[in-house]
Amino acid sequence: MLLDLNEDETLLKNGLEQFTEGALRPRIKPFADKHEFPTDLVKEFLALGFMGTAYDPDFGGGGLGTRGAAIVAETLARAEPGFAAIYLCNSAPMTVIARYGSDDIKRKWLEPLCRGDFIASFGVTEPSGGSDVASIKMRAVEDGDSFVLSGSKVFSTNAGTALHGVSTFVAVTDPELGAKGLSTFVVPVGTPGFTVGKAGRKIGWRIADSVELFLDNCRVPKANMVGNRGEGLKQILTTLSIGRILVGATGLGLSRKAIDLAKIYGASRKVGGIPIFQNQGLTFPLADTLTNIHAAELMIRNAACLADAERPFRLETSMAKLFATEMASEAADIALQVHGGYGAFEEFEVSGLIGEARVLRILEGTSEIQRLIIGRELSA
C-alpha cells in the first residue's frame, strides 16, 4: 500500500503544518505546563476550518473522510498530543450527527461545528460504566413533544471550556429493551438542568479539559434525537470505532514527536567522547520504533479506508488502535531514555510524553478491550 497523499490531503497537511509550526509549537508549552485549555489557539484553529475536514461539503465540511481526519490528528499530535485530543473529542459528536442525524439536525449543529463557531463534547461514559457502554443509566423520558434527561457522564473532553457549545448524550429511552433501548440526543450548553463539573489535572491531554456532566430534568425537543429511537448502541459503537482510528493516529503523531526529540538531543550528545547514537543499546530500540511507526501508519490508513468505503472495519480499527497506542508508550520511553537524566526534568519537552502516551491506551476502549474484540475472531 502506497502512503502517498492525494492532492487534497497534501494541501490539508501543508495547511496544518503551517498552523502547527507557526502558531502551535511556539505557544503551547505554557498551557501544557499549567494544564490550561488554550482558548485563543483553539479559536485560531477553528477559524481555519480544519474541524470540518472529514464531513460532507453540503454541510460545510471538507469531504476528506476518516482518512483526512486521521491526517489532522497525527499532524496535531506531532506538535502537541493534547491539541489532537481537543480535535478528536470534538470529532466524536460531529461524527454521530453526520452519520445518523437528519438534514435538519445537521444544518442546525454540524454546519456550525464545521465552521468552527463552537466545539462539542461527547457524553457516553458513566461513573459506574467504564468500558461497558451497554450499561448506561442516564434516562430520557418522553414527555409530550420533548424528552427529559437525567443522569451524569464522566471524562467528557472539551466540555466546560469557553468554546463549548453543545454535547451529545446517549441515554436510556426504553429500559425494557436493555441495550436496544438507548438513544442519542443533542443538548445545547445553557439548557436548564445542564451543568458541568470541574476539570481535573491529568497525566496526559493536559491542555484538554475533561469533566463530569450532569443533566437534572433537562428538557430537549424530540427533534434533538439523533437518528432513530433505540439506535444509540449502534451509533456509539460505530462512532467509537472511528474514534479509535483517530486515537491511533494521535499515537502515531506522538511517536513521530518522540523520535524527533530523540534525534535532536542525541545528535550532539556524547558520553565518554563517543556519540550516543553509536551505542546499539539506544539505536536498536529507535530502529524498532521507526519500523513500528511505519507499520502503524499502514494499519491506520487501512482502517480509515475501510471506514470511508463503508466496509466492515471494527476489527481493523481495534488492531490499529491497540498497536499504535502501545507503540506510542514505547516510543516515549526510549526517547526519554535517550535524554538520560535530563528527560526527567519538565523543562525538557520529552518529559511530558510518557503521560500523554499512557492515556491513549485507555481512551476509546482500553488495550484490554481491543484485545477482547480481536480475540473474538478466534472463535468466529
Side-chain angles (χ1 to χ4, degrees), residues 266-286:
S268 59
R269 179 68 171 167
K270 294 182 179 181
V271 176
I274 300 173
I276 61 171
F277 282 164
Q278 290 184 19
N279 180 349
Q280 292 176 344
L282 289 178
T283 56
F284 281 12
L286 289 169

Side-chain angles (χ1 to χ4, degrees), residues 64-244:
L64 298 186
T66 309
R67 276 180 51 149
I71 292 169
V72 178
E74 179 195 347
T75 307
L76 293 175
R78 193 168 186 173
E80 167 52 49
F83 209 92
I86 294 168
Y87 170 76
L88 68 90
C89 289
N90 194 59
S91 296
M94 293 179 73
T95 295
V96 74
I97 292 170
R99 291 181 75 92
Y100 299 105
S102 65
D103 283 356
D104 286 344
I105 210 166
K106 290 177 189 176
R107 294 284 177 212
K108 188 171 183 179
W109 299 112
L110 184 62
E111 275 194 7
L113 284 165
C114 286
R115 286 197 305 267
D117 293 354
F118 45 80
I119 59 176
S121 72
F122 200 42
V124 175
T125 305
E126 297 185 351
S128 61
S131 297
D132 185 8
V133 295
S135 67
I136 284 171
K137 293 182 172 60
M138 177 175 279
R139 294 293 301 272
V141 178
E142 187 173 1
D143 183 24
D145 60 357
S146 303
F147 279 92
V148 179
L149 282 73
S150 295
S152 65
K153 304 290 184 179
V154 292
F155 311 142
S156 188
T157 300
N158 291 334
T161 66
L163 303 178
H164 182 210
V166 70
S167 293
T168 56
F169 289 91
V170 181
V172 179
T173 46
D174 301 280
E176 71 279 4
L177 298 179
K180 294 182 179 180
L182 301 175
S183 304
T184 304
F185 298 88
V186 176
V187 182
V189 172
T191 301
F194 181 4
T195 57
V196 178
K198 183 179 179 181
R201 293 170 69 91
K202 306 186 296 292
I203 62 169
W205 289 18
R206 292 167 293 171
I207 64 169
D209 288 353
S210 299
V211 300
E212 190 167 3
L213 302 179
F214 305 93
L215 300 183
D216 182 11
N217 292 316
C218 189
R219 183 179 294 271
V220 296
K222 284 185 176 179
N224 282 29
M225 179 183 285
V226 180
N228 296 321
R229 183 167 179 159
E231 291 185 345
L233 183 61
K234 177 182 76 173
Q235 295 169 356
I236 295 170
L237 294 177
T238 301
T239 302
L240 287 176
S241 289
I242 291 173
R244 285 166 186 160

